[in-house]
Amino acid sequence: MRKLLYLSVMILGMLVCASVAYRAVYREGLSAIAYNPIVLFSLYFLLIHFCVPLVKYSVGIFRYQSNYDYLTHLYIGLQSLIAFFFAWVSNYYFKKKKSSSIEGSCVVGIKSGYYLGFFLTIVGIVFSYNDLLLINLAVGGAEEFLSDRHFVSEERGGLRVFSNFLLIGPALMLAACLNSNFSKFFWVFYISSTLYSLFYFNSVSSRNSILIYFVVNTVVYVLFSRSAYESKITLKKMLPFIFAGLSVFFVAYLTTIERYGVKDSDYMQERKDHALYYMLDGAFGNDEARLWFVENGQKVNLGVTYICL
């Protein structure tokens, strides 16, 4: 009976999140993905605070301790439901209405936007390539790196942070290409940079970067593509997004298999046997931290820990 109550709370949360996102896209068209923040917020909230916690509760495998009290699970689930309701109401009252001037502003500075994206992509490629060289030379290769990514991070150096320009540069180029008649060379470079970016993120086993790349470029496409602007949702128009989402899921799954297949040990084998679970937990399993904080009596600092000292 108690398990049924928790299950009902989590399923209700998933249904509410999904319905809010669907209603926004259905009423406002696909452009709502870019213009209305509640859409992506709802989808992420559904995954992080309802779907994955329910999976972890059902499987019984946790990251920080062996198990948690049932009442803690129920308390956090109800807290998530209330938090989403508050976010939804806030978005309803405070979001800015779309204006036709927004579409016109998208085409301003197209060439400069492309060249900025081109520059950032080149910078990202240079530093990511240097990171790959350090992994192979200083760390000892991909196998040694994947066996303990956190331990060997110091050898990679802080400059690898500039490889994150691969998340921004291609998106800027895509925005420019969608609003101007660039030659095929520019499209070829965008596609090539996309393939390289995915290769790099997969090489360093960064599933979150793969997901972020997909989300950012999807939002850019919806925001800057004239064909997607104000278009109503249909199955045909959703197929590219469904295909891209399945592709990201497949790549993330292969990345997880590769991460836990580098060494032969009971720990690695157990993780490889439950690769789908650990893929979800690694990307969206942060909600468990709230369970741990509640049961371990951590002081509430009201955001003070976010302040850089």
Side-chain angles (χ1 to χ4, degrees), residues 114-115 118 177 182-192:
Y114 185 91
Y115 292 128
F118 183 88
C177 286
F182 282 98
S183 66
K184 293 182 179 180
F185 165 77
F186 295 103
W187 277 106
V188 169
F189 184 77
Y190 167 75
I191 295 173
S192 300

Side-chain angles (χ1 to χ4, degrees), residues 137-257:
L137 297 176
V139 178
E143 182 175 340
E144 186 67 25
F145 168 71
L146 292 175
S147 65
D148 194 340
R149 296 181 307 132
H150 302 291
F151 179 75
V152 300
S153 291
E154 292 184 5
E155 300 292 338
R156 298 169 62 192
L159 291 179
R160 73 179 187 275
V161 68
F162 292 108
S163 63
N164 288 327
F165 282 140
L166 291 175
L167 296 172
I168 305 172
L172 288 173
M173 291 191 294
L174 176 62
C177 286
L178 289 172
N179 282 276
S180 184
N181 296 321
F182 282 98
S183 66
K184 293 182 179 180
F185 165 77
F186 295 103
W187 277 106
V188 169
F189 184 77
Y190 167 75
I191 295 173
S192 300
S193 64
T194 294
L195 294 175
Y196 173 81
S197 299
L198 296 178
F199 165 77
Y200 169 70
F201 295 139
N202 179 67
S203 297
V204 297
S205 195
S206 180
R207 295 165 299 191
N208 284 338
S209 294
I210 295 174
L211 177 64
I212 292 172
Y213 191 95
F214 163 72
V215 171
V216 169
N217 281 267
T218 299
V219 170
V220 166
Y221 172 77
V222 173
L223 182 62
F224 289 90
S225 174
R226 297 180 184 277
S227 60
Y229 186 82
E230 293 288 351
S231 59
K232 292 297 181 180
I233 182 173
T234 63
L235 179 59
K236 183 178 179 180
K237 292 172 182 175
M238 290 302 296
L239 282 177
F241 302 104
I242 295 174
F243 175 77
L246 292 175
S247 298
V248 170
F249 178 87
F250 180 70
V251 172
Y253 180 76
L254 292 181
T255 302
T256 305
I257 292 292

Side-chain angles (χ1 to χ4, degrees), residues 37-306:
I38 199 64
V39 177
L40 290 178
F41 175 84
S42 298
L43 297 178
Y44 269 92
F45 204 95
L46 184 155
L47 282 170
I48 295 173
H49 298 294
F50 292 117
C51 181
V52 174
L54 182 59
V55 171
K56 296 176 75 169
Y57 178 81
S58 302
V59 174
I61 302 176
F62 298 98
R63 187 186 304 181
Y64 304 125
Q65 61 188 48
S66 58
N67 58 72
Y68 298 91
D69 186 74
Y70 164 77
L71 291 178
T72 305
H73 284 284
L74 184 60
Y75 169 71
I76 294 299
L78 290 171
Q79 190 182 79
S80 297
L81 197 59
I82 295 172
F84 180 79
F85 178 76
F86 176 77
W88 175 62
V89 172
S90 300
N91 180 78
Y92 180 80
Y93 282 105
F94 296 111
K95 74 175 181 126
K96 294 181 179 180
K97 294 184 177 180
K98 289 184 300 181
S99 172
S100 58
S101 61
I102 295 178
E103 183 182 11
S105 65
C106 292
V107 298
V108 176
I110 292 175
K111 288 188 176 180
S112 59
Y114 185 91
Y115 292 128
L116 175 60
F118 183 88
F119 172 75
L120 293 178
T121 302
I122 293 297
V123 173
I125 290 174
V126 170
F127 283 97
S128 61
Y129 182 72
N130 182 66
D131 186 30
L132 293 176
L133 288 179
L134 288 175
I135 290 174
N136 282 282
L137 297 176
V139 178
E143 182 175 340
E144 186 67 25
F145 168 71
L146 292 175
S147 65
D148 194 340
R149 296 181 307 132
H150 302 291
F151 179 75
V152 300
S153 291
E154 292 184 5
E155 300 292 338
R156 298 169 62 192
L159 291 179
R160 73 179 187 275
V161 68
F162 292 108
S163 63
N164 288 327
F165 282 140
L166 291 175
L167 296 172
I168 305 172
L172 288 173
M173 291 191 294
L174 176 62
C177 286
L178 289 172
N179 282 276
S180 184
N181 296 321
F182 282 98
S183 66
K184 293 182 179 180
F185 165 77
F186 295 103
W187 277 106
V188 169
F189 184 77
Y190 167 75
I191 295 173
S192 300
S193 64
T194 294
L195 294 175
Y196 173 81
S197 299
L198 296 178
F199 165 77
Y200 169 70
F201 295 139
N202 179 67
S203 297
V204 297
S205 195
S206 180
R207 295 165 299 191
N208 284 338
S209 294
I210 295 174
L211 177 64
I212 292 172
Y213 191 95
F214 163 72
V215 171
V216 169
N217 281 267
T218 299
V219 170
V220 166
Y221 172 77
V222 173
L223 182 62
F224 289 90
S225 174
R226 297 180 184 277
S227 60
Y229 186 82
E230 293 288 351
S231 59
K232 292 297 181 180
I233 182 173
T234 63
L235 179 59
K236 183 178 179 180
K237 292 172 182 175
M238 290 302 296
L239 282 177
F241 302 104
I242 295 174
F243 175 77
L246 292 175
S247 298
V248 170
F249 178 87
F250 180 70
V251 172
Y253 180 76
L254 292 181
T255 302
T256 305
I257 292 292
E258 182 181 11
R259 174 184 294 185
Y260 299 125
V262 294
K263 284 190 175 182
D264 186 15
S265 66
D266 293 339
Y267 171 80
M268 290 294 188
Q269 187 60 45
E270 188 272 335
R271 299 232 157 193
K272 191 174 180 181
D273 292 340
H274 300 87
L276 182 60
Y277 168 80
Y278 286 111
M279 180 187 72
L280 292 173
D281 182 38
F284 305 107
N286 297 333
D287 187 78
E288 186 188 336
R290 299 164 64 204
L291 297 171
W292 190 89
F293 279 123
V294 169
E295 293 205 348
N296 288 273
Q298 296 299 303
K299 179 183 176 181
V300 177
N301 293 309
L302 301 177
V304 174
T305 54
Y306 281 101

